[in-house]
Amino acid sequence: MISQIVGGLIGGHHDSKKVKGTVVMMKKNALDFTGLAGSLTDELFEFLGQKVSFQLISSVQGDPTNGLQGKHSNPAYLENSLFTLTPLTASETAFGVTFDWNEEFGVPGAFIIKNTHINEFFLKSLTLEDVPNHGKVHFVCNSWVYPSFRYKSDRIFFANQRRWNWKAWDRIYDYDIYNDLGNPDQGKENVRTTLGGSAEYPYPRRGRTGRPPTRTDPKSESRIPLILSLDIYVPRDERFGHLKMSDFLTYALKSIVQFILPELHALFDGTPNEFDSFEDVLKLYEGGIKLPQGPLFKALTAAIPLEMIRELLRTDGDGILRFPTPLVIKDSKTAWRTDEEFAREMLAGVNPIIISRLQEFPPKSKLDPEAYGNQNSTITAEHIEDKLDGLTVDEAMNNNKLFILNHHDALIPYLRRINTTITKAYASRTLLFLQDNGSLKPLAIELSLPHPDGDQFGVTSKVYTPSDQGVESSIWQLAKAYVAVNDSGVHQLISHWLNTHAVIEPFVIATNRQLSVLHPIHKLLYPHFRDTMNINASARQILINAGGVLESTVFQSKFAMEMSAVVYKDWVFPDQALPADLVKRGVAVEDSSSPHGVRLLIEDYPYAVDGLEIWSAIKSWVTDYCSFYYGSDEEILKDNELQAWWKELREVGHGDKKNEPWWPEMETPQELIDSCTTIIWIASALHAAVNFGQYPYAGYLPNRPTVSRRFMPEPGTPEYEELKKNPDKAFLKTITAQLQTLLGVSLVEILSRHTTDEIYLGQRESPEWTKDKEPLAAFDRFGKKLTDIEKQIIQRNGDNILTNRSGPVNAPYTLLFPTSEGGLTGKGIPNSVSI
């Protein structure tokens, strides 16, 4: 195994041989222009002589004078006399290099490079042609090498052979596909589709962890034991700080305790694994559950550090355990069931980024009719026209009054397989009407199943309309629950995991690989990447893996992550900008006279109203910052690090989409400003909007059920009779079971908390993060603008005319309120995707 080294030379008393190598490099202007091969070759001759040195590092032989770290060869230099190769491309040139080698040294596993010239160059690769007893050794470098005085430690590159079991002190930023979600060594049921690297299942790249392949499938990466989950490799600079790790462990342990102990208590209940009534559910938050004072309880408390116990158990001294009361039931225990609240949460809940304007009626499917038959909606004008305040369907559409929550096309291809599990789900379309008071009114819900005779025959669908009387009222409540199940699954997998966590990780890796810490764009983006690789690695280990918490709590089950890869096919980077997203969904139109360049068609849309304020503040800050360093297109084009960064992002980090025409070319300051604004928006405000409302809205699972276990009861069945006699019990037996509820509530409580060392938008760890006065002044203006936005949010939440701000549950919208204290607050925009 190769160790990272700082010393030692090979002695001269062994028989020495020569090992020839080839170095491929580019001069610093090579990325700017093409057709300059001749001048590039001339300029690269500047590096000959002893301007650039290479020292091989042994992968097998330690140096006893330097802690048995790998031995170094004597320095070797670029050679003019061996320069017989012609340029490889218009921008690449190959040089020869010759190393001294002996038997004791063995196989080189890495090399140190030192550049004593005043200019940087781009090092493509080093290839050793014929190492004795081994053959060719190839080092893929693809990195800028600056003059050595700019580095505090040696630049080291490793051979292009994997070294397994990376350690905390290794600082390796590299890419990999998602081939680590399954565990084929534990049987077929634990095999999962590899995501990324294919047209069928494209995916953003993750950080490479250096683990060996599984025994049964060499293309799958092995997993570490669950007990070691916190030891999954990420570069040391990306690991949680001490406070963050302490908080994460505390809340994770507390939630596990809350989950395990009530589950044991349920063994003594009359109907294990079921809530018998809504009062039973409320006991989780109000009455609490008496903790058993037996050996298991003592064993659990003995395993938890004493200082954590008060926070972990949060009991009243008599051993009563309870979860915090979620915001959605704090003011009223029943308002969550109203149609108005059901619709309002599409604009101000935890997943406010799906609703779109209805632009054709009835809604049509985009699925291939040859594969899936007729998937168009069966909702008719007769279903909804009596609820349109006297308008026809066409008039309502033309007046921008009709909207849809569409969970049909994404689910249909998987629904038949999903329903072979314990899940019994439908694809859904929900139509809504924008009323004069600014609130939305549900009109109809269509629930669809794949045709029993095969996909090519389309679907069987049924349309449900609002009712508040008798069994029809109970059926309407169930229809809304099936929609909520779909929205919960799409939220967790797509809105949250894919669109923030997964898509931002390649930016973290590329920034660390291609931008020096002194580069202005590195300084701009660095705070927005804090803890992201660490939380994503933990998620792959315990949340999104085969049999993990997510598969155990969402309706998509083992198909969850594969479905997210199919959705990623439609991901478009420029559309992640908030104004572009709102226009694409039809909930806003471009309008140069409006403050943010777009005009909302739902004026009281809390996520969009607050979001546009935040977006504009970010964009103004990024504009001021980038304009200080880049005044022209030429300065963008000549910034080699910037160009290499963007090229790697497109071609490697999001490599499955490298040929998409929508990628910015990164040729102008405006493209840089737009791209950085979008990156910061995704990492900060977008993630905050879809993450920190999880416990406030989904901590009470009847409001946001994650699984449906029974189909809609049909007349004449025992389930239908039960629905008539005890609708609440029938409802609870349909949605998430007690076991999954406890696990799900525990999960969203962890995910919704701010740690005590959180750093929020407009804040920095150090006030002296740059010495440049103008960017510091611009950042100060940014912070003051965010403070003004906080005041505006408070003012809007106090405006009774804006009914969507708080709704029937009286839950003011604060998810885009920039700052917060630690804990479960339902507000605050951290700089980064950090939980």
Side-chain angles (χ1 to χ4, degrees):
M1 192 172 84
I2 302 161
S3 299
Q4 212 160 335
I5 9 274
V6 266
L9 294 172
I10 296 175
H13 59 280
H14 296 279
D15 292 337
S16 181
K17 298 181 180 179
K18 301 294 185 184
V19 173
K20 294 184 182 299
T22 303
V23 177
V24 179
M25 350 179 358
M26 292 193 294
K27 187 69 170 62
K28 69 176 185 177
N29 64 350
L31 290 179
D32 298 346
F33 309 102
T34 57
L36 298 177
S39 62
L40 286 173
T41 303
D42 293 340
E43 290 181 351
L44 282 168
F45 273 106
E46 298 172 12
F47 294 95
L48 297 177
Q50 295 195 346
K51 299 292 177 58
V52 180
S53 69
F54 299 80
Q55 282 182 281
L56 299 178
I57 302 168
S58 173
S59 65
V60 296
Q61 184 67 318
D63 179 3
T65 67
N66 194 30
L68 290 178
Q69 295 179 330
K71 277 200 169 184
H72 296 190
S73 71
N74 292 314
Y77 303 94
L78 294 179
E79 298 167 349
N80 187 13
S81 60
L82 292 179
F83 183 76
T84 58
L85 300 170
T86 55
L88 306 178
T89 69
S91 60
E92 297 175 1
T93 307
F95 292 90
V97 63
T98 303
F99 295 93
D100 292 326
W101 180 92
N102 59 44
E103 292 287 346
E104 181 190 56
F105 191 79
V107 179
F111 72 89
I112 294 172
I113 186 169
K114 291 182 179 177
N115 174 15
T116 60
H117 195 273
I118 60 171
N119 288 325
E120 71 272 24
F121 60 87
F122 190 82
L123 181 64
K124 291 278 290 184
S125 64
L126 165 64
T127 304
L128 305 180
E129 304 302 338
D130 189 14
V131 176
N133 304 319
H134 183 79
K136 181 181 289 189
V137 177
H138 187 60
F139 299 84
V140 176
C141 306
N142 289 329
S143 183
W144 288 96
V145 178
Y146 278 76
S148 55
F149 70 85
R150 294 192 179 275
Y151 298 108
K152 291 182 179 179
S153 57
D154 293 329
R155 288 299 308 272
I156 301 177
F157 294 93
F158 290 97
N160 196 29
Q161 285 109 23
R162 283 205 185 184
R163 176 171 62 97
W164 308 123
N165 301 317
W166 295 345
K167 303 300 182 185
W169 52 85
D170 291 322
R171 190 179 182 275
I172 301 171
Y173 288 88
D174 203 356
Y175 302 94
D176 213 339
I177 55 180
Y178 281 69
N179 62 346
D180 63 338
L181 301 178
N183 195 348
D185 290 346
Q186 292 187 351
K188 289 184 178 179
E189 67 277 9
N190 288 299
V191 173
R192 292 295 180 271
T193 301
T194 293
L195 309 181
S198 70
E200 187 176 10
Y201 300 113
Y203 222 64
R205 296 301 185 263
R206 63 171 175 91
R208 192 185 292 270
T209 58
R211 298 197 302 270
T214 59
R215 296 187 307 274
T216 51
D217 179 10
K219 293 183 179 180
S220 293
E221 185 173 273
S222 60
R223 299 181 57 77
I224 58 177
L226 193 60
I227 196 71
L228 299 176
S229 292
L230 294 171
D231 289 333
I232 189 169
Y233 175 80
V234 292
R236 183 65 186 89
D237 291 353
E238 307 302 324
R239 292 190 74 83
F240 291 152
H242 175 72
L243 273 175
K244 179 85 169 192
M245 183 61 77
S246 171
D247 280 1
F248 187 78
L249 283 171
T250 300
Y251 293 126
L253 281 171
K254 181 180 71 65
S255 293
I256 290 168
V257 170
Q258 287 176 326
F259 165 59
I260 292 173
L261 296 180
E263 185 57 25
L264 290 172
H265 190 66
L267 294 175
F268 304 99
D269 196 319
T271 52
N273 209 33
E274 293 290 355
F275 292 110
D276 293 324
S277 65
F278 285 114
E279 287 70 28
D280 267 3
V281 182
L282 290 173
K283 284 179 184 176
L284 292 175
Y285 319 100
E286 295 176 341
I289 295 176
K290 181 74 175 177
L291 296 177
Q293 300 297 311
L296 179 64
F297 178 71
K298 290 179 180 176
L300 279 167
T301 54
I304 301 167
L306 283 175
E307 65 269 20
M308 289 186 179
I309 287 179
R310 278 196 185 88
E311 176 59 32
L312 282 169
L313 299 182
R314 203 193 284 122
T315 72
D316 59 2
D318 294 324
I320 302 295
L321 175 69
R322 62 172 64 88
F323 285 94
T325 301
L327 186 64
V328 75
I329 56 167
K330 194 166 272 187
D331 190 69
S332 166
K333 301 300 181 287
T334 58
W336 65 272
R337 303 193 79 170
T338 63
D339 287 359
E340 184 181 344
E341 180 61 21
F342 170 72
R344 185 191 77 92
E345 289 183 22
M346 300 177 198
L347 304 174
V350 72
N351 194 28
I353 63 173
I354 304 297
I355 189 171
S356 60
R357 181 162 54 90
L358 187 69
Q359 301 188 49
E360 58 181 355
F361 186 86
K364 292 181 181 177
S365 170
K366 294 180 180 178
L367 292 173
D368 181 2
E370 289 193 12
Y372 295 103
N374 181 7
Q375 295 283 336
N376 294 336
S377 177
T378 59
I379 300 174
T380 65
E382 287 71 27
H383 285 123
I384 63 173
E385 276 197 336
D386 62 335
K387 308 174 195 69
L388 300 181
D389 292 353
L391 299 176
T392 65
V393 171
D394 285 344
E395 288 169 341
M397 273 205 304
N398 292 336
N399 286 311
N400 302 321
K401 293 273 194 177
L402 289 181
F403 295 84
I404 184 170
L405 188 74
N406 196 337
H407 293 309
H408 184 93
D409 282 9
L411 301 187
I412 282 293
Y414 282 88
L415 199 52
R416 195 183 300 276
R417 283 175 283 169
I418 288 171
N419 285 340
T420 63
T421 68
I422 62 165
T423 296
K424 299 294 177 276
Y426 297 91
S428 63
R429 293 182 175 106
T430 305
L431 296 194
L432 306 110
F433 178 67
L434 180 61
Q435 301 181 103
D436 290 341
N437 69 354
S439 66
L440 290 171
K441 176 173 69 175
L443 300 172
I445 292 172
E446 178 185 49
L447 301 179
S448 303
L449 289 171
H451 197 283
D453 294 336
D455 289 350
Q456 70 272 26
F457 295 102
V459 288
T460 59
S461 300
K462 191 166 183 179
V463 178
Y464 300 89
T465 55
S467 175
D468 57 6
Q469 299 294 322
V471 70
E472 293 301 322
S473 172
S474 302
I475 287 173
W476 174 244
Q477 291 296 330
L478 278 177
K480 290 192 294 181
Y482 289 116
V483 173
V485 166
N486 289 347
D487 201 59
S488 294
V490 168
H491 161 260
Q492 201 65 274
L493 270 174
I494 310 303
S495 305
H496 184 201
W497 168 257
L498 175 66
N499 286 349
T500 63
H501 284 260
V503 301
I504 212 70
E505 187 162 0
F507 290 91
V508 183
I509 300 169
T511 299
N512 279 280
R513 284 169 57 89
Q514 298 298 345
L515 298 180
S516 70
V517 294
L518 298 177
H519 193 282
I521 301 305
H522 187 287
K523 287 187 176 185
L524 173 68
L525 297 179
Y526 175 73
H528 304 288
F529 299 151
R530 181 179 188 248
D531 294 336
T532 300
M533 289 187 73
N534 202 154
I535 197 66
N536 284 5
S538 297
R540 296 197 309 274
Q541 182 65 13
I542 59 177
L543 294 182
I544 63 175
N545 58 300
V549 177
L550 194 72
E551 284 193 0
S552 303
T553 55
V554 299
F555 78 92
Q556 297 99 323
S557 186
K558 64 183 180 182
F559 305 105
M561 290 299 291
E562 185 181 308
M563 285 181 66
S564 72
V566 174
V567 174
Y568 176 65
K569 292 178 181 180
D570 295 325
W571 184 81
V572 176
F573 174 69
D575 287 349
Q576 307 311 300
L578 178 61
D581 168 63
L582 296 171
V583 171
K584 188 174 185 177
R585 290 190 283 122
V587 294
V589 291
E590 293 181 356
D591 182 357
S592 58
S593 65
S594 294
H596 311 293
V598 295
R599 178 171 54 85
L600 292 173
L601 299 180
I602 304 175
E603 292 182 10
D604 184 13
Y605 187 170
Y607 161 74
V609 172
D610 296 359
L612 285 169
E613 295 281 353
I614 299 291
W615 168 269
S616 294
I618 294 171
K619 187 164 187 179
S620 294
W621 149 237
V622 173
T623 300
D624 290 346
Y625 182 87
C626 291
S627 299
F628 178 77
Y629 296 102
Y630 299 96
S632 67
D633 295 357
E634 184 180 16
E635 289 178 327
I636 294 287
L637 289 166
K638 283 192 171 181
D639 186 330
N640 304 307
E641 289 188 36
L642 186 72
Q643 294 301 324
W645 170 70
W646 196 246
K647 177 181 172 68
E648 183 169 292
L649 273 170
R650 290 179 53 171
E651 297 183 1
V652 185
H654 282 279
D656 295 334
K657 289 186 163 287
K658 63 183 177 183
N659 296 320
E660 297 285 1
W662 41 254
W663 281 108
E665 295 294 335
M666 203 53 69
E667 295 176 344
T668 67
Q670 192 59 53
E671 286 183 320
L672 177 63
I673 289 166
D674 291 343
S675 297
C676 289
T677 302
T678 300
I679 293 166
I680 294 172
W681 165 260
I682 293 170
S684 59
L686 178 60
H687 179 257
V690 297
N691 184 74
F692 294 102
Q694 290 187 84
Y695 196 81
Y697 286 102
Y700 183 66
L701 225 56
N703 183 54
R704 297 280 298 175
T706 58
V707 172
S708 48
R709 297 176 286 150
R710 307 196 302 190
F711 289 125
M712 183 72 82
E714 294 293 337
T717 62
E719 291 80 10
Y720 193 83
E721 291 304 309
E722 181 184 46
L723 187 66
K724 290 200 308 191
K725 292 175 184 175
N726 193 340
D728 287 355
K729 188 169 186 177
F731 182 96
L732 291 169
K733 286 172 74 171
T734 300
I735 65 166
T736 318
Q738 189 177 41
L739 177 75
Q740 291 167 305
T741 295
L742 294 169
L743 185 57
V745 171
S746 298
L747 171 65
V748 297
E749 188 190 353
I750 295 170
L751 298 181
S752 301
R753 283 186 174 273
H754 293 294
T755 56
T756 51
D757 66 339
E758 195 65 83
I759 301 173
Y760 297 95
L761 195 63
Q763 300 175 355
R764 290 260 175 164
E765 283 187 278
S766 168
E768 297 180 353
W769 59 274
T770 180
K771 294 293 185 185
D772 295 327
K773 291 183 179 179
E774 287 188 38
L776 284 174
F779 189 68
D780 186 57
R781 292 194 297 273
F782 179 45
K784 289 176 179 175
K785 177 61 177 174
L786 292 173
T787 301
D788 291 341
I789 291 172
E790 289 187 344
K791 295 174 183 176
Q792 293 167 22
I793 289 174
I794 293 170
Q795 186 176 12
R796 284 193 287 268
N797 284 342
D799 188 341
N800 293 329
I801 295 176
L802 301 175
T803 58
N804 296 329
R805 297 295 306 191
S806 298
V809 296
N810 192 25
Y813 187 74
T814 55
L815 293 176
L816 289 174
F817 192 89
T819 59
S820 174
E821 57 277 8
L824 202 59
T825 64
K827 64 178 181 178
I829 304 175
N831 269 326
S832 61
V833 178
S834 59
I835 189 66

